Amino acid sequence: MRTKLLPILLSVLVCHGIHAQVFQQEFGNPRKDFVETMATPDHADSRYLTGQQATLRITARLGGAPVEGITVRYKVGPEMWLPERYDSTTFIGGEALIRMGTMQEPGFLACQYEFMAGGKKHADLVKLAYEPELIRTFTPMPSDFDKFWQQALKEARRVPLEPEYRDIPDATTPEFVTRLVRLHVGKDKWMQGYLTLPRDGSGSSGHPVVLVPPGAGSQKISPSDYFPRQGCIYLKLEIHDNDQLLPDDEYNQLRQQKCDGYMRRGMTSRDTYYYKDVYVGCARVVDFLCSLPQWDGRNVIVTGGSQGGALTIVTAALNEKVTLCAPFYPALCDLTGFLHHRAGGWPKFFSGFYSDGRIDISQDQALETLQYFDVVNFARRLSVPTFMSWGYSDDTCSPTSVWAAWNEITAPKQSDITPTSGHWRFSSSQAKCLEWMKAHIGQGK
């Protein structure tokens, strides 16, 4: 049966490919969407003073012609606190105006809008900043914060790293060698990741190291040659010690058993909270990278997005070897924001409307623990040059929470803010980050 089915599938795929080619040849390949939209605030930089009124202009073209008479439904309110009911306005001459109002305190005003055109629903989320440089965190700094983390790292450093390697032939080339490495980063904690090293024909050392912690969840990670092509040793990390080489079905079953709800696990105490071993483990991975003979002995870069952005800041604050810190839209910032009717960071603890942010213990217990893990407190401890990039339309790691962390950084810092981006980055932001890294390599500790 299988041998008969394969030619049929191949025939279908070939016919589909031929049909697509014939369609493009006969009817052309569209370069634009039939319905083109743009949302433009009346302040080009999306920034306002408290008390200033804001207007959002929605422009829409249907096959190049202005949309006329179509209803736009919208909600406006503080970010993550939008009302349940929609208001509405109408397109006239291809434009619809939404009077968003104002804010009386620093923060972000959000607008969620939608309309039907060309047989499809078009929707977006737009957020405007009100004096974000004045946003302050609600999270206190524990008096024994430094002592707690110094002791935790000291204990982890007593455990030998015991690296275990597996070759990855598919990601190994004449220019790079890639291996999957598993590291013992604490008493009961292992991590693994893809380690890629540039090949040196002479066997000489002299490469910066780059650590990239992962975003939230427990998905498989993939090797990359992006940083090795810049002459760097690169490690893409997985924090849960899930075997990256398992078949997908087995892997998905494993990660559900091991990792579901990990962001809440052990929160009754700072000593048992899941992120304690993760934070310290990331710092130990830096120790491992700096033990490699190919390291240049000086430059250590940490960069990542979302949870990886949070772990970037934490690692740079904990490990004295780090010389450059480059987080993107970091999670785990200003975790108590929702208790003050203000957007907090992922996992949105205390929000009451996000499953990852569910609290299974008393609020007092959670608050006692989380102050040791809130990234704003690690941002306060940063001492190395920091490049941070984030957008305003992010509904996962709220810009309010990211600004709360940014405003606590006293180290040399550079921001790349792209108001229209959500929980993702433009390629230009990554390019700016890389240029910043190149400019700072060799200038560190």
Side-chain angles (χ1 to χ4, degrees):
M1 179 67 179
R2 186 175 180 180
T3 56
K4 293 180 180 179
L5 186 59
L6 184 58
I8 294 173
L9 289 173
L10 290 173
S11 176
V12 170
L13 291 172
V14 169
C15 290
H16 179 77
I18 292 172
H19 175 76
Q21 292 176 14
V22 170
F23 182 89
Q24 291 182 13
Q25 290 170 1
E26 188 166 351
F27 302 109
N29 187 19
R31 292 179 297 154
K32 297 182 178 180
D33 292 330
F34 183 57
V35 179
E36 299 175 89
T37 65
M38 179 175 292
T40 308
D42 54 349
H43 285 199
D45 60 357
S46 299
R47 295 195 44 179
Y48 297 77
L49 298 176
T50 52
Q52 283 185 324
Q53 299 290 320
T55 299
L56 186 66
R57 185 184 304 271
I58 313 296
T59 304
R61 296 289 185 270
L62 187 69
V67 168
E68 193 72 41
I70 290 178
T71 298
V72 181
R73 301 171 69 235
Y74 66 89
K75 300 177 180 180
V76 174
E79 70 160 333
M80 296 188 181
W81 298 96
L82 295 179
E84 292 189 8
R85 298 186 62 179
Y86 283 90
D87 288 321
S88 64
T89 186
T90 304
F91 278 108
I92 300 174
E95 293 185 348
L97 294 181
I98 297 175
R99 310 292 181 184
M100 289 182 60
T102 189
M103 296 187 73
Q104 300 303 325
E105 295 182 356
F108 279 80
L109 188 64
C111 175
Q112 179 183 320
Y113 71 86
E114 60 181 45
F115 64 93
M116 294 294 299
K120 293 173 60 177
K121 184 170 81 169
H122 304 268
D124 203 357
L125 175 70
V126 177
K127 298 184 186 182
L128 307 180
Y130 276 81
E131 300 188 71
E133 67 281 352
L134 300 182
I135 293 172
R136 292 291 175 263
T137 181
F138 290 109
T139 302
M141 170 65 81
S143 60
D144 61 346
F145 181 86
D146 295 326
K147 180 180 179 181
F148 171 74
W149 285 110
Q150 288 167 6
Q151 181 61 32
L153 184 56
K154 182 179 179 180
E155 291 173 1
R157 280 176 165 162
R158 295 193 184 108
V159 178
L161 287 162
E162 305 175 73
E164 302 171 0
Y165 294 96
R166 285 188 281 178
D167 293 334
I168 308 296
D170 290 347
T172 296
T173 70
E175 294 84 20
F176 314 108
V177 176
T178 298
R179 305 167 82 184
L180 184 64
V181 60
R182 185 170 183 253
L183 300 169
H184 196 185
V185 295
K187 181 180 178 182
D188 299 308
K189 182 66 176 177
W190 290 77
M191 291 181 177
Q192 54 186 273
Y194 288 106
L195 174 66
T196 302
L197 301 96
R199 292 187 192 267
D200 289 316
S202 63
S204 62
S205 61
H207 299 280
V209 297
V210 178
L211 171 64
V212 179
S218 52
Q219 291 77 19
K220 279 187 176 181
I221 58 174
S222 301
S224 168
D225 63 1
Y226 178 82
F227 285 108
R229 288 193 180 279
Q230 310 302 322
C232 299
I233 299 165
Y234 164 79
L235 195 147
K236 178 65 179 292
L237 189 63
E238 194 277 333
I239 61 173
H240 307 293
D241 192 32
N242 292 328
D243 187 349
Q244 298 300 294
L245 301 186
L246 283 176
D248 288 349
D249 289 346
E250 292 182 39
Y251 185 88
N252 289 334
Q253 184 177 4
L254 173 68
R255 71 185 183 87
Q256 289 174 3
Q257 293 172 351
K258 286 182 58 178
C259 303
D260 278 2
Y262 72 87
M263 66 291 297
R264 299 186 299 274
R265 195 174 298 168
M267 198 187 290
T268 53
S269 165
R270 65 183 186 179
D271 292 308
T272 58
Y273 189 33
Y274 189 84
Y275 273 116
K276 180 186 178 185
D277 287 342
V278 172
Y279 284 12
V280 173
C282 289
R284 286 292 282 142
V285 173
V286 169
D287 290 342
F288 162 73
L289 288 170
C290 294
S291 73
L292 298 173
Q294 297 92 339
W295 178 44
D296 66 8
R298 185 171 185 182
N299 295 288
V300 179
I301 303 167
V302 189
T303 183
S306 192
Q307 177 186 260
L311 296 177
T312 292
I313 294 172
V314 169
T315 305
L318 285 181
N319 193 309
E320 69 285 354
K321 300 181 181 73
V322 175
T323 57
L324 294 177
C325 173
F328 288 79
Y329 34 86
L332 294 157
C333 297
D334 200 30
L335 294 172
T336 61
F338 287 103
L339 290 177
H340 303 270
H341 208 75
R342 193 179 82 180
W346 183 90
K348 304 177 185 175
F349 293 131
F350 313 110
S351 67
F353 58 75
Y354 194 68
S355 59
D356 281 350
R358 189 178 75 246
I359 298 292
D360 301 321
I361 60 176
S362 73
Q363 182 174 297
D364 288 345
Q365 275 185 306
L367 290 173
E368 175 64 27
T369 296
L370 290 175
Q371 61 184 327
Y372 290 90
F373 297 87
D374 197 315
V375 168
V376 296
N377 283 337
F378 292 91
R380 287 166 166 154
R381 291 296 184 258
L382 285 176
S383 61
V384 299
T386 299
F387 176 100
M388 188 185 294
S389 180
W390 68 100
Y392 289 169
S393 294
D394 193 334
D395 230 25
T396 300
C397 297
S398 67
T400 298
S401 67
V402 175
W403 270 98
W406 174 257
N407 290 336
E408 296 297 329
I409 298 174
T410 57
K413 59 184 181 178
Q414 178 177 326
S415 65
D416 173 60
I417 300 171
T418 51
T420 60
S421 65
H423 199 60
W424 45 271
R425 72 193 77 169
F426 289 106
S427 58
S428 60
S429 295
Q430 186 61 49
K432 287 180 183 178
C433 181
L434 182 61
E435 290 305 309
W436 175 86
M437 289 176 180
K438 289 178 178 179
H440 283 79
I441 283 177
Q443 299 181 11
K445 301 172 184 178

